[in-house]
Amino acid sequence: MSRISYVNGAYVPHTEAVVHIDDRGYQFADAVYEGVTVRHGRMVDLEPHLDRLWRSMGELRIAPPMDRAPMRFVFSQVIAKNRIENGFLYIQISRGVAKRDHAFPTKPVASSLVVTLKRLDVDGVIARAGKGVKAFSEADIRWGRCDVKSTSLLPNILAKQAAKEKGGFEAVLVDKDGYVTEGSSTNMWIVRKDGVVQTRSTADNILPGITRATLLKLAAELQIKVVEEAFTLEDAKGATEMFLSSSTGCATPIVELDGQKIGDGTPGPIAKRLVEAYQRYMDA
Ligand code: PMP
């Protein structure tokens, strides 16, 4: 059975799912997106993802293609039609189709909505979190609006590719002052020698990760102390633990950074507790 995708009002076989070549998402990356994990057929943290999607559209003045209730319905239809229990739901909204011009279309056009679903081995993600991953630092060459979840991801792509070619799973992005901003598609956390968990503030030009917000709540429940403050690459290398967070990555420990072990080079106790708590949260 072919995967089914949603494109501007129609549920179509994935192989036939296309947008117009004048779509501003295609031409300019003038588009926003969300990625939601589907676990046992349920969307994890759907409402915060919708809040962030609406915020991204608002910041870029892209008109929502529909209200939230019909959009939730489209998502559930895509999940039902694909009969996928554990997956990654991808939602993209572009400013729409218009004759190519950098400025917004003068006559308002309808924004485009595309929704796809692919299988995600969530148990595999948890298993990977049990082993940890390697990461490499890369220069953060992105713009000043990383809080907006836009599809303009070329700097993220280049950083991830560079890390991958060195044998890493993720790139740790570092600004010109030596501070870690986030990963190419993840938020970054460390556990300091005093046991306090540290992660950059969302007021500091990073994507406000939905998993980050959930982990903050879970950490509070577990009475794990967290401070939202920037840390440097050197701080990370001297930390007892480091981990990344994302919808598809849970709280995956980084056990090696630039070829140097973090802590003893194995997943640490705090990341382990957070992974377990996040797993319970997803399965609840
Ligand atoms: N930062 C960036 C740059 C990302 O692309 C992502 C994933 N979309 C994240 C952080 C993690 O966000 P979330 O937990 O909402 O998946």
Side-chain angles (χ1 to χ4, degrees):
M1 188 189 90
S2 162
R3 280 160 65 197
I4 301 293
S5 297
Y6 174 91
V7 185
N8 292 323
Y11 298 92
V12 292
H14 189 72
T15 46
E16 293 163 29
V18 290
V19 293
H20 196 278
I21 57 168
D22 277 340
D23 189 286
R24 290 178 62 94
Y26 175 70
Q27 292 274 348
F28 295 117
D30 185 2
V32 296
Y33 74 107
E34 279 297 324
V36 181
T37 294
V38 176
R39 176 68 165 162
H40 305 313
R42 270 192 21 232
M43 292 171 267
V44 178
D45 281 334
L46 175 61
E47 295 311 314
H49 278 287
L50 284 175
D51 290 343
R52 188 173 64 183
L53 183 60
W54 250 255
R55 180 181 180 275
S56 296
M57 286 190 280
E59 292 298 307
L60 301 184
R61 293 193 277 151
I62 292 176
M66 59 178 70
D67 290 340
R68 279 171 78 130
M71 202 178 287
R72 279 188 209 103
F73 179 73
V74 169
F75 297 170
S76 59
Q77 285 296 101
V78 170
I79 295 168
K81 286 178 193 295
N82 284 285
R83 299 201 199 110
I84 286 179
E85 282 287 296
N86 295 307
F88 176 71
L89 187 76
Y90 178 78
I91 303 124
Q92 181 172 317
I93 296 171
S94 84
R95 196 179 304 279
V97 175
K99 201 160 102 186
R100 193 176 190 282
D101 182 10
H102 284 64
F104 295 175
T106 38
K107 276 196 222 120
V109 293
S111 53
S112 305
L113 172 63
V114 167
V115 184
T116 64
L117 181 67
K118 65 177 182 184
R119 272 178 217 289
L120 175 70
D121 178 7
V122 179
D123 295 311
V125 170
I126 306 284
R128 185 176 59 210
K131 290 198 215 123
V133 296
K134 294 179 185 175
F136 286 88
S137 59
E138 304 292 338
D140 189 346
I141 57 167
R142 299 174 305 158
W143 66 329
R145 290 305 308 271
C146 296
D147 59 309
V148 174
K149 198 160 171 59
S150 120
T151 60
S152 309
L153 289 171
L154 212 37
N156 308 57
I157 288 167
L158 295 177
K160 174 94 179 196
Q161 183 62 24
K164 188 177 168 189
E165 286 173 10
K166 292 174 199 164
F169 173 76
E170 176 60 307
V172 175
L173 302 180
V174 181
D175 72 12
K176 57 179 184 358
D177 300 317
Y179 284 91
V180 171
T181 53
E182 55 192 322
S184 74
S185 62
T186 57
N187 290 113
M188 288 291 161
W189 307 66
I190 57 170
V191 182
R192 306 191 314 214
K193 289 207 168 69
D194 62 2
V196 173
V197 177
Q198 191 168 345
T199 191
R200 190 180 176 95
S201 159
T202 54
D204 223 353
N205 195 33
I206 57 166
L207 187 79
I210 304 300
T211 318
R212 178 188 178 284
T214 298
L215 288 173
L216 284 176
K217 272 189 241 152
L218 296 173
E221 283 168 25
L222 295 169
Q223 297 183 326
I224 295 170
K225 186 166 185 230
V226 184
V227 292
E228 295 182 69
E229 271 168 41
F231 57 85
T232 64
L233 182 62
E234 287 317 303
D235 293 335
K237 288 183 179 169
T240 55
E241 294 184 42
M242 183 174 193
F243 55 95
L244 58 81
S245 69
S246 73
S247 300
T248 53
C250 176
T252 301
I254 293 174
V255 293
E256 208 184 286
L257 176 56
D258 292 340
Q260 202 175 305
K261 277 183 187 168
I262 304 290
D264 67 1
T266 63
I270 292 190
K272 273 190 196 158
R273 285 171 72 199
L274 287 171
V275 170
E276 282 163 17
Y278 191 75
Q279 195 178 356
R280 279 196 301 274
Y281 175 81
M282 276 197 297
D283 290 347

